[in-house]
Amino acid sequence: MSTDDITGVILAGGRSTRMGQDKGVISAAGKMLFEHIADRLRPMVGEILINSNQNASIYGQHFNVVPDITQDYAGPLAGMLAGLKAINTEWALFVPCDVPSFPLDLAKQFVAHSSQHSAVYARDALRDHPTLCLLSKNIIPELESYLAQGERKVMIFLKQINALPVEFNDPQAFANLNTPADVALWEKTLGQPS
Ligand SMILES: Nc1nc2c(ncn2[C@@H]2O[C@H](COP(=O)(O)OP(=O)(O)OP(=O)(O)O)[C@@H](O)[C@H]2O)c(=O)[nH]1
């Protein structure tokens, strides 16, 4: 599998209630959060899409925007379904808009482990990070039926489809920015422009 076989999908479809405004477009360390994600993602994929349910006029200046198909904020899996249905490649690499220091070798490690699996996801020594995952389009029917049953949990779905966890060493890489305080800390520590 080459980078051209993978579309990067930035997951920015949540409500951002803890942040108080759409996380994807807040400014941090000189750029909007989704731009930090896109810059990191760009070398890993052939094309980038953004899953979002708001601010399409901002995201749309940079990338194609794909809103959720399912109703009522059904969680990140809704964004994954929308992304998988929109891509022109077999594979989608999903990264949330609020994990700006995600591993630089994310796609490389996922691809190295994907030959026997239609789904792989990240974990570190402490926890699973199921919203960072590489999924094949062929899981769409299972995902549709899971969501149609009213189920929402990403990790349970990934287990159900026998997704493979791929371990990464640095838990810091998965720092998740949910609040303005998280953003301020990230800017101070990891987010300084080099
Ligand atoms: N498409 C889509 N993505 C979602 C939804 N809810 C959360 N996400 C995404 O899932 C990832 C983790 O989101 P959370 O931080 O748990 O939820 P959030 O809505 O962004 O923020 P809070 O309202 O503060 O919980 C982010 O990339 C979100 O954009 C949803 O209903 N639809």
Side-chain angles (χ1 to χ4, degrees):
M1 189 192 314
S2 79
T3 52
D4 285 342
D5 300 317
I6 307 172
T7 303
V9 181
I10 301 173
L11 292 171
R15 277 183 279 214
S16 302
T17 44
R18 286 166 289 175
M19 193 66 77
Q21 57 178 304
D22 183 8
K23 278 189 266 201
V25 298
I26 57 171
S27 288
K31 281 186 276 193
M32 286 183 273
L33 261 189
F34 85 94
E35 296 177 296
H36 284 286
I37 302 287
D39 288 348
R40 230 169 159 81
L41 194 54
R42 201 168 279 113
M44 305 182 189
V45 297
E47 193 192 339
I48 294 177
L49 302 179
I50 300 204
N51 163 242
S52 173
N53 297 300
Q54 54 187 319
N55 285 321
S57 60
I58 299 175
Y59 294 120
Q61 289 171 25
H62 304 261
F63 303 107
N64 285 334
V65 183
V66 186
D68 290 359
I69 307 159
T70 51
Q71 304 292 310
D72 298 335
Y73 287 96
L77 282 175
M80 292 180 192
L81 179 60
L84 285 172
K85 287 205 155 189
I87 59 175
N88 295 311
T89 52
E90 182 189 342
W91 295 89
L93 175 62
F94 292 96
V95 180
C97 66
D98 57 358
V99 184
S101 300
F102 69 89
L104 289 167
D105 61 345
L106 187 74
K108 188 175 167 212
Q109 295 302 327
F110 280 171
V111 168
H113 291 87
S114 63
S115 64
Q116 307 292 324
H117 292 263
S118 299
V120 294
Y121 66 95
R123 74 156 38 140
D124 61 33
L126 303 174
R127 60 181 64 88
D128 295 314
H129 300 286
T131 51
L132 291 105
C133 59
L134 180 69
L135 303 180
S136 161
K137 259 182 114 94
N138 69 23
I139 63 133
I140 287 176
E142 284 154 293
L143 180 49
E144 280 179 323
S145 90
Y146 185 77
L147 286 169
Q149 290 159 37
E151 301 292 346
R152 299 284 179 262
K153 294 216 179 331
V154 186
M155 199 54 242
I156 292 177
F157 173 69
L158 290 179
K159 286 210 163 119
Q160 192 173 298
I161 61 168
N162 194 28
L164 182 76
V166 175
E167 188 133 349
F168 292 83
N169 290 329
D170 180 12
Q172 290 267 56
F174 297 98
N176 186 210
L177 312 188
N178 287 316
T179 65
D182 293 339
V183 176
L185 183 62
W186 179 75
E187 280 183 303
K188 241 198 230 165
T189 54
L190 306 163
Q192 293 300 324
S194 53

